């Protein structure tokens, strides 16, 4: 499978990379050996200014300032602890459960609208609190409950959207292909709907972090029973390892992690030494998505997600991979329309209005979540 996918994505890169760079920037810069070291976060900002000003036009200055400002968090309540007390405490801080607020709104929608939207499945089991738009309060650190588990998990609330979009149903077998450090794995378990959950990540040090998260939030009986399996394999091989197996697959790929790249030098993908790795990201992402689709049962669903704003890593990867699976494997994959989903959550998040496929949460000063791109696909039977 590797060769045709690699060839296809290389073709995509040829076309798209140039289309994104304005003509005035197409020059080859010579770096003198004496030139002072440029922090990777500065290189990231330069790169974003070049590509995203073209991609987002007038929206870019406001996204830029939001990305450079403090992000907002959500508190995902641990359902394995005393969730009702924890929810009451969070409400007393004036935070609100954006998941259940959205689902209550959905239930109030007129019947004729409901018929065209899928059921919320297990999503109402998730409770995630955020402060309202414009409220930049911070959550206090999570506390240990009497059961020895932490009471909530702090995460970018937009990271919950790919899990919600996956739309788990009771008894599903689920694969989380790139799972570490484990925020989305934890959310998948919190739905209470996974018959089996396979959580995988290539990096053993990062699966170590995932194990720690599970240890802090999930009772021993669940961790050590056969409901959760943690592995450290190359996700690109999953189609060969366990083809046609899972009802739902989450493919939350490595990406340019745009917010992180602007704030942290450590492990920054814009370091000069990682240029090649950065250029190869769309290829790796397409391989992982193809493997995730091959691991899905015919009739099953996949969500692809990144925390990057780059169309090249988002919709181009989705469109290119779907085309490749059709050509190389005669596997048909349909992108699902998530516009109803966007409508449900637009009080909490700012969405980019013009994605060709999938949805993109863009950072906004009064709702500083994301970036988070997610696209739901149906592998046709
Ligand atoms: C965006 S992070 C995943 C975040 C995670 N889903 C969460 O919510 O906490 C992407 C992950 O992909 C992993 N990764 C990179 N290449 C991989 C591969 N070939 N197979 C599986 N995982 C890979 C990285 O180690 C990294 O932990």
């Amino acid at each position: 499978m590797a060769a045709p996918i690699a060839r296809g994505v290389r073709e995509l890169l040829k076309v798209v990379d140039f289309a994104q760079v304005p003509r005035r920037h197409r020059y080859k810069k010579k770096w003198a050996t004496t030139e002072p070291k440029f922090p990777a976060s500065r290189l990231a900002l330069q790169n974003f200014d070049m590509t995203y000003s073209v991609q987002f036009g007038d929206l870019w200055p406001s996204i830029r300032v939001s990305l450079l400002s403090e992000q907002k968090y959500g508190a995902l309540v641990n359902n394995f602890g005393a969730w009702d007390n924890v929810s009451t405490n969070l409400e007393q801080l004036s935070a609100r459960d954006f998941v259940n607020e959205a689902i209550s709104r959905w239930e109030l929608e007129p019947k004729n609208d409901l018929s065209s939207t899928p059921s919320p499945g297990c999503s109402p089991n998730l409770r995630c609190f955020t402060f309202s738009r414009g409220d930049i309060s911070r959550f206090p650190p999570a506390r240990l409950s009497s059961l020895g588990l932490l009471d909530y998990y702090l995460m970018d609330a937009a990271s919950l959207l790919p899990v919600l979009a996956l739309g788990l149903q009771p008894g599903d077998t689920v694969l989380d292909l790139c799972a570490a450090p484990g925020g989305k794995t934890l959310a998948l378990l919190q739905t209470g709907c996974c018959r089996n959950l396979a959580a995988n990540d290539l990096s053993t040090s990062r699966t170590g972090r995932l194990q720690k998260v599970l240890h802090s939030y999930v009772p021993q009986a669940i961790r050590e029973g056969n409901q959760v399996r943690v592995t450290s394999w190359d996700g690109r091989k999953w189609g060969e390892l366990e083809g046609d197996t899972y009802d739902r697959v989450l493919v939350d790929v490595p990406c340019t992690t745009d917010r992180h790249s602007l704030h942290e030098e450590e492990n920054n993908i814009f370091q000069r030494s990682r240029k090649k790795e950065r250029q190869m990201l769309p290829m790796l992402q397409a391989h992982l998505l193809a493997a995730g689709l091959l691991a899905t049962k015919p009739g099953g669903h996949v969500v692809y997600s990144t925390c990057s704003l780059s169309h090249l890593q988002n919709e181009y990867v989705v469109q290119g991979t779907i085309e490749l699976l059709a050509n190389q494997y005669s596997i048909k994959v349909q992108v699902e329309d998530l516009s109803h989903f966007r409508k449900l959550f637009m009080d909490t998040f700012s969405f980019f209005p013009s994605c060709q496929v999938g949805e993109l949460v863009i950072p906004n000063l009064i709702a500083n979540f994301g970036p988070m791109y997610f696209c739901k696909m149906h592998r046709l039977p």
Side-chain angles (χ1 to χ4, degrees), residues 153 155 159 176-185 200-203 206 233-236 250 252-255 257 284 288 307:
Y153 182 83
M155 65 200 296
S159 293
D176 187 356
L177 195 59
C178 306
K184 299 186 189 70
T185 310
N200 175 70
D201 199 284
L202 179 64
S203 156
R206 286 173 68 88
W233 298 338
D234 186 340
R236 288 173 289 188
L250 179 63
D252 185 39
V253 292
C255 68
T257 54
L284 171 62
L288 287 165
C307 52

Side-chain angles (χ1 to χ4, degrees), residues 238-249:
W238 217 282
E240 297 143 43
L241 295 170
E242 287 185 318
D244 305 345
T245 303
Y246 293 91
D247 298 304
R248 317 257 157 185
V249 177

